[in-house]
């Protein structure tokens, strides 16, 4: 079992990924690899076989997609004359159509600055499109086992040049009774290949599968530490939706907060929070797409000089915003994307300044908080403030 590194210092740039891949990661808005990515990507790039214990929501898909895209574009396949040829070089086996579609989408996202071609192959849809794509030539096949075997029997797909095999959600594939199909498929792919196995759990059946198909695998598992800045103290405040502004005023009163960056989901939300704070005697200003550039610059200057203690922003407005020395980030609304959480929190805890990051969670935001916790690989402590909390029954996870 490999050990966790200090994720706070891990960045995508230190993996030796092709510039086109790093650009795609950047376009996706990711600043730091998730814990499973931090472990899996360097090992996959070395060509090792891997058993990765990771659930959906941990960023596992990019954990195998990024190194595969890197490999395919940095070592193009050519014939004896040196002309580029297109053969299936990576096969991703998944239990369901939904997952096949998601993994396909990941290859499109991370391979967007290359000319890689990916085809999803699953049952329940017409063979025609799949046949056409295969005939035209593809680099990556993402498939459910049953439909793939149909194609193999018709000899419409060949794996003679396969370099990487991924078994995604291996435990689920076995639960669904796909063991015979997996055996059949693995028999027909070259023995000299890299095999990456992802599974949420490790029952004896998955271990047996790994022993059969993998060579000297490294086992990676998410630790308990997070990749978000380690000096940041996170907390989630369960709060009724209608009480968020009151809770905000309460926290601003009781905590020693020098400079606070508050995030709301909408522009209107930002304006409303500012009005409420000003009514309560707290100097605040909003920063969002409806504000002119000069208004934004002035707001930022005043905030930096300490004339305004509270800046209320939407996610769009904070991109590229360089404010150092923020003592607190408050997610008035839970971010819609896990990556936005990482971005927002990245605003504090920078340059040795330690900061706190509070997230207000109303009942409809519980599942998003859980998704974020899976991505950052960390459970965020809940703090219940009597009179504001929506009830402890909703807290158990
Ligand atoms: P997965 O576990 O692969 O299904 O990914 C879960 C979610 O995490 C997806 O919405 C990804 O876009 C997102 N994600 C993957 N990697 C990162 C990252 N390094 N930073 C932030 N979000 C990520």
């Amino acid at each position: 079992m490999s050990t966790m590194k200090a994720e706070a210092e891990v960045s995508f740039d230190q993996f030796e990924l092709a510039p086109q891949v790093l650009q795609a990661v950047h376009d996706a808005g990711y600043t730091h690899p998730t814990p499973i990515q931090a472990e899996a990507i360097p090992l996959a790039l070395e060509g090792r076989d891997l058993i990765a214990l990771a659930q959906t929501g941990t960023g596992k898909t990019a954990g195998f997609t990024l190194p595969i895209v890197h490999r395919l574009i940095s070592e193009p396949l050519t014939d004896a004359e040196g002309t580029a040829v297109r053969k299936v070089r990576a096969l991703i086996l998944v239990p369901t159509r939904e997952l096949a579609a998601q993994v396909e989408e990941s290859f499109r996202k991370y391979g967007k600055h290359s000319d890689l071609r990916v085809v999803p192959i699953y049952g329940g849809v017409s063979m025609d499109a799949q046949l056409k794509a295969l005939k035209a030539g593809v680099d990556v096949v993402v498939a459910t086992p049953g439909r793939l075997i149909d194609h193999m029997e018709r000899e419409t797909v060949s794996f003679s040049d396969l370099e990487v095999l991924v078994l995604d959600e291996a435990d689920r594939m076995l639960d669904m009774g796909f063991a015979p199909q997996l055996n059949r498929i693995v028999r027909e792919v070259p023995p000299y290949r890299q095999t990456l196995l992802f599974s949420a759990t490790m029952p004896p059946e998955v271990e047996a599968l790994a022993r059969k198909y993998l060579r000297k695998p490294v086992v990676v598992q998410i630790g308990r530490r997070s990749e978000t800045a380690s000096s940041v103290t996170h907390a989630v405040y369960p709060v009724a939706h209608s009480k968020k502004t009151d809770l905000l005023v309460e926290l601003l009163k009781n905590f020693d907060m020098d400079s606070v960056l508050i995030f709301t989901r909408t522009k209107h939300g930002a304006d409303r929070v500012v009005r409420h704070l000003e009514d309560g005697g707290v100097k605040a200003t909003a920063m969002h797409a409806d504000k002119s550039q000069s208004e934004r610059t002035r707001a930022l200057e005043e905030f930096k000089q300490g004339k305004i203690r509270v800046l209320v922003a939407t996610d769009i407005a904070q991109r590229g915003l360089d404010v150092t020395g923020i003592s607190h980030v408050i997610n008035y609304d839970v971010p819609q994307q896990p990556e936005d959480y990482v971005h927002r929190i990245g605003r504090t805890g920078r340059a040795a300044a330690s900061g706190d990051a509070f997230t207000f969670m109303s009942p409809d935001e519980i599942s998003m908080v859980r998704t974020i916790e899976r991505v950052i690989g960390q459970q965020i402590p809940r703090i219940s403030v009597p009179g504001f909390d929506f009830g402890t029954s909703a807290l158990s996870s």
Side-chain angles (χ1 to χ4, degrees):
M1 186 93 54
S2 61
T3 51
M4 292 293 291
K5 293 181 204 78
E7 286 81 15
E9 282 138 41
V10 178
S11 97
F12 278 107
D13 297 332
Q14 74 195 65
F15 302 140
E16 285 176 10
L17 289 166
Q20 299 97 309
V21 181
L22 284 176
Q23 183 60 46
V25 167
H26 181 79
D27 296 345
Y30 305 159
T31 49
H32 293 83
T34 68
I36 197 73
Q37 291 164 2
E39 294 233 356
I41 294 173
L43 291 162
L45 287 173
E46 277 173 32
R48 298 293 306 259
D49 277 9
L50 219 62
I51 300 175
L53 285 165
Q55 297 180 337
T56 300
T58 53
K60 69 176 170 69
T61 317
F64 61 80
T65 312
L66 293 171
I68 292 176
V69 173
H70 166 85
R71 179 190 185 122
L72 301 193
I73 58 185
S74 0
E75 298 160 34
L77 204 62
T78 52
D79 62 14
E81 278 92 54
T83 315
V85 287
R86 217 182 271 282
K87 297 278 179 63
V88 181
R89 298 172 67 194
L91 168 63
I92 326 300
L93 292 171
V94 297
T96 62
R97 299 159 54 157
E98 291 71 30
L99 195 58
Q102 272 173 40
V103 172
E104 179 207 0
E105 184 50 41
S106 279
F107 272 97
R108 294 200 189 285
K109 183 153 123 188
Y110 306 127
K112 69 192 248 211
H113 299 296
S114 72
D115 74 338
L116 290 185
R117 285 198 208 145
V118 51
V119 66
I121 290 189
Y122 47 75
V125 291
S126 115
M127 295 282 268
D128 283 357
Q130 298 172 1
L131 288 171
K132 233 167 115 188
L134 287 170
K135 215 161 166 199
V138 294
D139 307 280
V140 181
V141 169
V142 183
T144 53
R147 177 58 72 97
L148 185 64
I149 286 181
D150 284 353
H151 281 278
M152 290 168 78
E153 281 173 353
R154 293 175 180 215
E155 297 186 358
T156 48
V157 63
S158 159
F159 294 120
S160 57
D161 291 272
L162 194 85
E163 296 167 38
V164 189
L165 171 69
V166 179
L167 304 166
D168 194 13
E169 303 203 353
D171 48 355
R172 247 174 109 199
M173 286 203 278
L174 293 181
D175 283 347
M176 291 168 72
F178 281 136
Q181 284 91 337
L182 293 181
N183 266 326
R184 167 83 201 277
I185 295 165
V186 176
R187 263 207 316 272
E188 293 192 34
V189 302
Y192 293 106
R193 58 165 195 267
Q194 182 179 30
T195 310
L196 311 174
L197 181 150
F198 284 75
S199 192
T201 58
M202 201 60 186
E205 297 76 21
V206 176
E207 267 181 52
L209 193 79
R211 264 199 304 277
K212 222 155 92 187
Y213 299 155
L214 277 67
R215 278 191 310 163
K216 298 197 185 132
V218 188
V219 181
V220 300
Q221 195 170 9
I222 310 174
R224 272 173 292 281
R225 289 165 62 186
S226 135
E227 92 284 7
T228 44
S230 55
S231 50
V232 177
T233 317
H234 304 237
V236 165
Y237 286 82
V239 56
H241 199 80
S242 59
K243 295 204 170 143
K244 282 190 172 183
T245 8
D246 293 337
L247 177 63
L248 182 61
V249 172
E250 188 73 15
L251 292 185
L252 288 172
K253 251 193 334 212
N254 294 327
F255 278 87
D256 188 16
M257 301 191 194
D258 299 331
S259 51
V260 191
L261 185 54
I262 298 174
F263 286 104
T264 57
R265 195 168 51 79
T266 64
K267 295 179 279 191
H268 298 300
D271 289 335
R272 220 171 331 152
V273 169
V274 166
R275 273 200 307 277
H276 205 95
L277 290 177
E278 302 241 289
D279 287 349
V282 180
K283 234 177 146 355
T285 196
M287 180 104 159
H288 53 62
D290 283 357
K291 299 276 174 183
S292 69
Q293 194 53 49
S294 64
E295 282 175 310
R296 289 198 218 181
T297 314
R298 196 175 57 235
L300 204 58
E301 270 314 302
E302 293 186 336
F303 185 65
K304 280 184 179 169
Q305 292 163 6
K307 288 187 190 154
I308 301 172
R309 204 174 130 212
V310 180
L311 196 61
V312 188
T314 56
D315 284 302
I316 315 281
Q318 65 103 10
R319 294 270 151 98
L321 203 151
D322 180 31
V323 209
T324 39
I326 291 174
S327 69
H328 291 78
V329 166
I330 297 179
N331 294 312
Y332 185 89
D333 296 309
V334 174
Q336 304 283 293
Q337 305 287 340
E339 44 270 39
D340 286 334
Y341 184 84
V342 180
H343 273 298
R344 290 179 181 187
I345 303 313
R347 300 277 152 223
T348 182
R350 278 208 171 161
S354 71
D356 290 330
F358 302 149
T359 300
F360 291 2
M361 175 183 74
S362 57
D364 57 313
E365 293 172 316
I366 296 173
S367 74
M368 195 58 217
V369 168
R370 289 195 185 135
T371 303
I372 289 164
E373 289 179 321
R374 281 200 299 272
V375 170
I376 66 171
Q378 187 188 45
Q379 275 251 315
I380 310 170
R382 309 289 194 264
I383 298 180
S384 172
V385 183
F388 294 96
D389 193 346
F390 52 75
T392 44
S393 62
L395 293 181
S396 52
S397 47

